[in-house]
Amino acid sequence: MLTVTLQDGGTKEFAPGTTLLTVAKTLSQKLGKAALLAVVNGENRDLTDTLEEDAQVEFITGESAAGLHAIRHTAAHVMAQAIKHLFPTTKFAIGPAIDKGFYYDLDSEHIFTPEDLVAIEKEMAKIVKENIKLERSELPRAEALAFFAAQGEAYKVELINDLPADAVISLYQEGDFTDLCRGPHCPSTGRIKAFKLQSIAGAYWRGNEKNKMLQRIYGTAFNSKEELTAYLTMLEEAAKRDHRKLGKELELFALMDEGPGFPFFLPNGMIVRNELINYWRAVHRRYGYEELMTPMILSRQLWETSGHWDHYKENMYFTQIDELDYAIKPMNCPGGMLVYKTKPHSYRELPIRAGELGIVHRHELSGALHGLFRVRCFTQDDAHIFMMPSQIKDVIQETIRLFDEVYATFGLKYHAELSTRPADSMGDEATWEVATNGLREAMEDFGLKYIVNEGDGAFYGPKIDFHLQDSIGRTWQCGTIQLDMQLPEKFDLTYTGEDGQKHRPVMIHRVVYGSIERFIGILTENYAGAFPVWLAPQQVRVLPISEKFQPYADQVKQQLFDLGIRIATDDRNEKIGYKIREAQMQKVPYMLIIGEQEAASGTVAVRSRSGGDLGVMALADFIAQLTQEIATKQ
RNA sequence: GCUACUAUAGCUCAGCUGGUAGAGCAUCUCAUUCGUAAUGAGAGGGUCGUAGGUUCGAAUCCUAUUAGUAGCUCCA
């Protein structure tokens, strides 16, 4: 007999060859039903595997992340089986579980439609109901190749051929369908209790745009119907917060056919934008930044010097002036370099922190445009910091602190990513190594957790990116800190050191908002359009009950207006309910209802967009509360 | 850029298999002066994204093109 040690420390004996599923069932009927995978001596295993020696065993259910992952992975196989039943000529590429569900990439003459998804779901339900076993087998490479080649599954053959020589080639069979897969999987299709197919999209084979574009079907699956419903409801709610929808409803910005990717900012959007800029200036002033502005169009020669002509040309717009080539700036840095060079610098001045709200133009692919999140013209809240090599760590830490402060003001959650040297890059290996380690150390000392994106850096240096979430959980890169070892060299920047000799400064590029446009998009979604008072396009609206109270309403309005409050009066001949409804929908933070009682006593009846009727108060009290709320950016 | 889908009044949308455009909201006018999410009545507004084609006849079918949407690729 074998001894199995369980999670709680208890032990139990089983005959060799007992499946893990049987072990789970023996422990309790409930566990037998809930268990999806097992961890045997620290290794993930299928429940259909057998035990051959003493082992430490832990069972995984759908309540854990690993269990949910298995459900989704198995659901992808179930979907593939269903598709094979309904569209037998379909060829299968890859079908993994992902963050919020699963997908399968397919190659088929048939173009899948939303109606097909309904039919596939039905077929999947049938397969789930049959509760078919998933059985793992391992094959020698030649046999596996022959197996898939016989079925015409060219993508699977290519995948196997690309596996390392010593790789274990495993297959999972569920009834009449067998797939190449590393596993692990749920023991049977009946474990897929709640799933939903969501969308059809294109995707390149192996993510390479030179390859054939396949059809990808996205779906999701959960441990229970309740969780699935909750998730789908959340998505519906999130759609209401989409900044493209709110941007139109709240008249923040507009995108027109006449300028794809070139947003128009409307009066309301300009207020949010200007408030963000005011705040930005205040923060940067405190952190020792100065501000400058460089031209939007600069000569070809400059872009050749900076390296953009060679490395970034595809994304740039060009023009000619007096028969000479010019480029519209896609980045602010070359201009910043020229400013640095306008005078000699001493080590005593460093670090120099030069900020610029720079409007840049980039020719993004048409299919990549996405509301304010991805545009072709945007304002970077840029800054270049020039320093001595010995100052790198302190400066980067200080920058991380600034970022953290700004994001906290908006209550935004973020995560950081470190990107290392890409294939198309300038400079030598050693310099890259030093720079990358500099970033890494600064983050670690600050206690900032990060993930690493190998080869994802800019052509001129490694970078730390800060990603913020939109309403449906997609993340967008906003802030970035990029170390640049190339430009100071290219532009021959120098400073005079303590020793009287010329030295090369190190520089970083950094943006906190990233682009003001993208940041406004993120904020709009995070606040669901209900901007805090300090950012709200209209902060207060006065609503007189009838014309009779207009004079007092004007008085109230004027007092607040003189204090710099963004205020308006709704003096239309409408009922109070109508005016309130409209102010609510426009997400005006405060409404002041003015009627006979208020006019007589010199008070205001305050209604907040979130808290409803706050009752009558003295105007002075309301002003005190309001100005406090604005000042503290609540 | 690629794959698929979508495109009708300012907005949200209806318009079956081709017979020549409709609703609600918004706008304007009139009446109502009414205390916490829609007062009533009336009026105006669209050559159905654009350009070709098929047809006696096209918002409806075909082709091209532009823009958008989902994703891929790429990126702040």
Side-chain angles (χ1 to χ4, degrees), chain A residues 556-575:
Chain A
V556 169
K557 180 192 155 189
Q558 194 60 41
Q559 261 198 66
L560 285 152
F561 181 84
D562 289 344
L563 289 168
I565 302 299
R566 297 187 288 270
I567 187 166
T569 306
D570 186 348
D571 54 9
R572 292 174 303 173
N573 178 9
E574 292 291 350
K575 293 193 169 177

Side-chain angles (χ1 to χ4, degrees), chain A residues 277-288:
Chain A
I277 289 173
N278 291 343
Y279 169 62
W280 185 87
R281 290 206 165 108
V283 171
H284 285 77
R285 179 172 176 272
R286 206 159 19 84
Y287 276 80

Side-chain angles (χ1 to χ4, degrees), chain A residues 26-147:
Chain A
T26 311
L27 293 172
S28 85
Q29 210 173 8
K30 201 174 146 198
L31 185 64
K33 278 186 185 161
L36 299 171
L37 304 175
V39 180
V40 178
N41 296 332
E43 250 180 75
N44 273 335
R45 300 278 288 274
D46 294 313
L47 293 183
T48 46
D49 280 2
T50 53
L51 277 176
E52 304 299 345
E53 55 192 1
D54 288 357
Q56 184 111 24
V57 176
E58 186 188 330
F59 290 100
I60 290 175
T61 69
E63 274 157 41
S64 71
L68 190 55
H69 193 269
I71 287 174
R72 289 168 175 173
H73 195 176
T74 303
H77 280 230
V78 171
M79 178 171 83
Q81 186 176 18
I83 291 169
K84 185 106 185 166
H85 288 172
L86 300 174
F87 306 94
T89 57
T90 308
K91 301 298 171 221
F92 296 86
I94 54 165
I98 50 174
D99 195 19
K100 299 195 162 53
F102 61 88
Y103 68 78
Y104 218 115
D105 282 350
L106 316 159
D107 187 4
S108 171
E109 293 283 308
H110 174 77
I111 308 280
F112 289 96
T113 66
E115 291 77 60
D116 293 335
L117 294 194
V118 176
I120 295 166
E121 274 181 356
K122 260 193 196 152
E123 185 65 21
M124 286 174 72
K126 220 191 274 174
I127 294 166
V128 168
K129 201 168 172 208
E130 285 169 28
N131 197 17
I132 304 165
K133 243 192 198 163
L134 277 92
E135 286 171 295
R136 180 189 171 98
S137 56
E138 288 174 12
L139 288 185
R141 181 176 293 250
E143 277 180 48
L145 283 172
F147 177 82

Side-chain angles (χ1 to χ4, degrees), chain A residues 385-404:
Chain A
I385 305 180
F386 303 92
M387 65 202 129
M388 296 185 273
S390 61
Q391 295 170 318
I392 292 181
K393 207 169 105 181
D394 283 352
V395 166
I396 288 174
Q397 277 195 19
E398 158 202 297
T399 310
I400 293 174
R401 208 175 318 123
L402 186 158
F403 281 33
D404 192 65

